């Protein structure tokens, strides 16, 4: 049965994360499950994506976790940095578009495909609108999820290094953090049953609201907004996922990224891979540079600034922030703001860059080369 098979795979990812946690690996459940998923996909043992219900559940729980950190005091603390944060968000999008434009000129990729592939955030929403914007959906999906994979792999390691290797605690990032007496402590509050029921209500209501409002990635943003309102009201019991439940959520996030890297996907884009990797490296280095400038200008710890400005991978970045005890409110605010802005401005950017080419296909290569991308 597919359900049993996926349950065993997820259990294997959790076991690998527990081993990584015992060895002191940063964000162990995220990184270990990402590695397990990638190995299974590249070996051909897994040929499909994480089941939809599991993926949507993990997104909803991550959204609830993000919203629970956005308290009024946290937002007030971030308010003085609003202007530089807005500038960093705009600069990140501008840098991504500039590098995508250069990639389109030097490679065999059309401007819509290059820009959509390099956009920093909103992977699911970007891939969804690729067809409508006359881009190569497969190429856009590969670029987006390769970027997410790179961010998910490097962000925890860099955050751990920036924090001086001190990331240990409830997120499972430190040595010897095997499940202990808190085995059934699944939410932050003392009343577990009430907290779990509140978490379920926030998640379901958030997903429904996100779809109703047609938000980008509704399963993530919807619960985040509902959790934000619930948290700031001050009358809702604590419901943020913690302990084993949080670890399982991070396993699902890592597994969802890992299983996307199949041999067939790599075979289709192998001729473009060096150019794509170079472009993504440039985007990541540019964002790291902006994080350094932002940290120096505002006095924000470099680790928090880096996680807030990484080019996408919001689920993985949140996991890294939680594991390294970073400023989750700041990271969530900046990443969520950029996600919303990206989804709003991307169609306008694409149409601006290709005003005279409305029927442009996925690549600009000659017919003989084009088949190398489309096969």
């Amino acid at each position: 049965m597919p359900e049993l098979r996926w349950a065993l795979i997820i259990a294997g990812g959790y076991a690998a994360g527990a081993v990584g946690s015992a060895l002191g690996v940063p964000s162990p459940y995220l990184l270990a499950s990402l590695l397990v998923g990638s190995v299974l996909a590249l070996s051909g043992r897994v040929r499909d994506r994480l089941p939809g219900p599991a993926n949507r559940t993990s997104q909803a729980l991550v959204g609830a976790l993000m919203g629970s950190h956005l308290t009024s005091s946290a937002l007030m603390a971030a308010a003085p940095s609003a202007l530089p944060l807005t500038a960093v968000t705009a600069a990140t999008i501008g840098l991504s578009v500039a590098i995508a434009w250069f990639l389109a000129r030097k490679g065999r990729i059309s401007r819509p495909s290059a820009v959509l592939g390099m956009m920093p955030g909103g992977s699911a929403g970007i891939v969804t609108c690729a067809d409508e914007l006359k881009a190569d959906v497969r190429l856009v999906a590969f670029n987006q999820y390769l970027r997410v994979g790179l961010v998910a792999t490097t962000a925890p390691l860099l955050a751990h290094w920036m924090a001086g290797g001190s990331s240990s605690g409830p997120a499972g990032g430190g040595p010897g953090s095997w499940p202990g007496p808190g085995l059934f402590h699944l939410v932050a509050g003392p009343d577990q049953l009430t907290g779990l029921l509140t978490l379920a209500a926030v998640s379901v209501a958030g997903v429904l609201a996100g779809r109703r409002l047609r938000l980008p990635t509704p399963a993530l943003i919807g619960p985040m907004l509902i959790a934000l309102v619930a948290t700031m009201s001050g009358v809702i019991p604590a419901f943020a996922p913690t302990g084993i439940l949080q670890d399982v959520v991070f396993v699902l996030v890592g597994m969802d990224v890992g299983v996307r890297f199949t041999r067939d996907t790599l075979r289709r884009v192998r001729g473009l891979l060096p150019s794509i990797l170079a472009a993504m490296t440039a985007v990541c280095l540019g964002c790291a540079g902006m994080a350094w400038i932002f940290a120096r200008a505002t006095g924000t710890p470099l680790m928090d600034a880096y996680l807030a400005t990484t080019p996408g991978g919001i689920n993985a970045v949140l996991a890294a922030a939680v594991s390294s005890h970073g400023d989750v409110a700041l990271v969530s605010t900046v990443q969520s703001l950029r996600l919303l802005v990206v989804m709003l401005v991307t169609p306008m950017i694409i149409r601006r860059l290709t005003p005279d080419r409305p029927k442009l296909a996925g690549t600009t290569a000659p017919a003989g080369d084009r088949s190398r991308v489309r096969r």
Side-chain angles (χ1 to χ4, degrees):
M1 294 177 60
E3 294 83 2
L4 177 60
R5 180 166 172 265
W6 272 109
L8 293 174
I9 292 173
I10 292 169
Y14 184 88
V19 172
S21 177
L23 296 175
V25 175
S27 301
Y29 293 96
L30 175 75
L31 291 180
S33 57
L34 191 154
L35 178 61
V36 169
S38 299
V39 170
L40 291 174
L42 291 172
S43 65
R45 296 183 181 276
V46 171
R47 301 179 183 276
D48 48 357
R49 294 268 304 278
L50 191 70
N55 185 27
R56 289 189 293 272
T57 298
S58 68
Q59 287 194 49
L61 293 178
V62 167
L65 179 60
M66 290 169 60
S68 69
H69 284 279
L70 296 174
T71 61
S72 56
S73 58
L75 293 177
M76 288 291 290
S81 302
L83 183 59
L85 286 176
T86 303
V88 166
T89 298
T92 302
I93 296 173
L95 174 66
S96 301
V97 172
I99 292 177
W101 180 84
F102 183 79
L103 179 64
R105 282 182 62 88
K106 298 298 181 181
R108 300 184 302 277
I109 307 176
S110 71
R111 287 180 185 175
S113 297
V115 171
L116 289 175
M118 289 294 151
M119 271 296 168
S123 300
I126 291 293
V127 172
T128 301
C129 68
D131 255 338
E132 180 184 347
L133 297 174
K134 310 301 180 185
D136 186 324
V137 179
R138 292 174 300 183
L139 186 59
V140 171
F142 176 80
N143 287 2
Q144 281 287 330
Y145 293 120
L146 177 60
R147 176 182 50 76
V148 170
L150 290 173
V151 170
T153 304
T154 58
L157 300 175
L158 289 173
H160 182 74
W161 171 70
M162 292 176 189
S166 61
S167 64
S168 59
S177 55
W178 292 82
L183 182 64
F184 298 105
H185 196 82
L186 304 179
V187 293
D191 188 339
Q192 293 298 287
L193 179 58
T194 303
L196 286 170
L197 291 175
T198 304
L199 176 61
V202 166
S203 301
V204 172
V207 173
L208 294 176
R211 290 175 178 171
R212 181 78 174 178
L213 298 173
R214 298 183 180 180
L215 297 174
T217 57
L220 176 72
I221 301 299
M224 185 192 74
L225 295 178
I226 296 295
L228 169 63
V229 173
T231 301
M232 295 189 71
S233 71
V235 298
I236 304 296
F239 58 86
T242 189
I244 288 181
L245 178 58
Q246 186 184 95
D247 294 337
V248 171
V249 171
F250 291 162
V251 167
L252 294 175
V253 170
M255 192 69 66
D256 182 56
V257 174
V259 297
R260 297 173 190 269
F261 296 101
T262 63
R263 287 182 293 182
D264 183 52
T265 302
L266 293 178
R267 192 182 305 118
R268 288 173 179 170
V269 298
R270 61 190 175 198
L272 301 171
L273 193 56
S275 300
I276 291 171
L277 284 174
M280 288 183 180
T281 301
V283 171
C284 290
L285 289 176
C287 289
M290 284 186 281
W292 182 83
I293 295 172
F294 174 77
R296 292 293 298 269
T298 63
T300 302
L302 180 58
M303 181 190 72
D304 295 333
Y306 173 75
L307 291 176
T309 57
T310 52
I314 187 170
N315 293 353
V317 170
L318 178 72
V322 172
S323 296
S324 56
H325 304 290
D327 188 342
V328 180
L330 175 68
V331 174
S332 298
T333 301
V334 179
Q335 290 280 346
S336 302
L337 171 65
R338 192 178 62 215
L339 171 62
L340 292 171
V341 172
V342 162
M343 295 308 299
L344 289 173
V345 304
T346 295
M348 293 184 287
I349 292 174
I350 294 295
R351 294 183 179 111
R352 179 81 174 176
L353 290 176
T354 57
D356 300 320
R357 305 170 71 178
K359 296 184 179 180
L360 188 62
T363 64
T364 57
D369 292 329
R370 193 175 300 149
S371 61
R372 295 173 60 184
V373 178
R374 294 177 176 272
R375 271 203 303 260

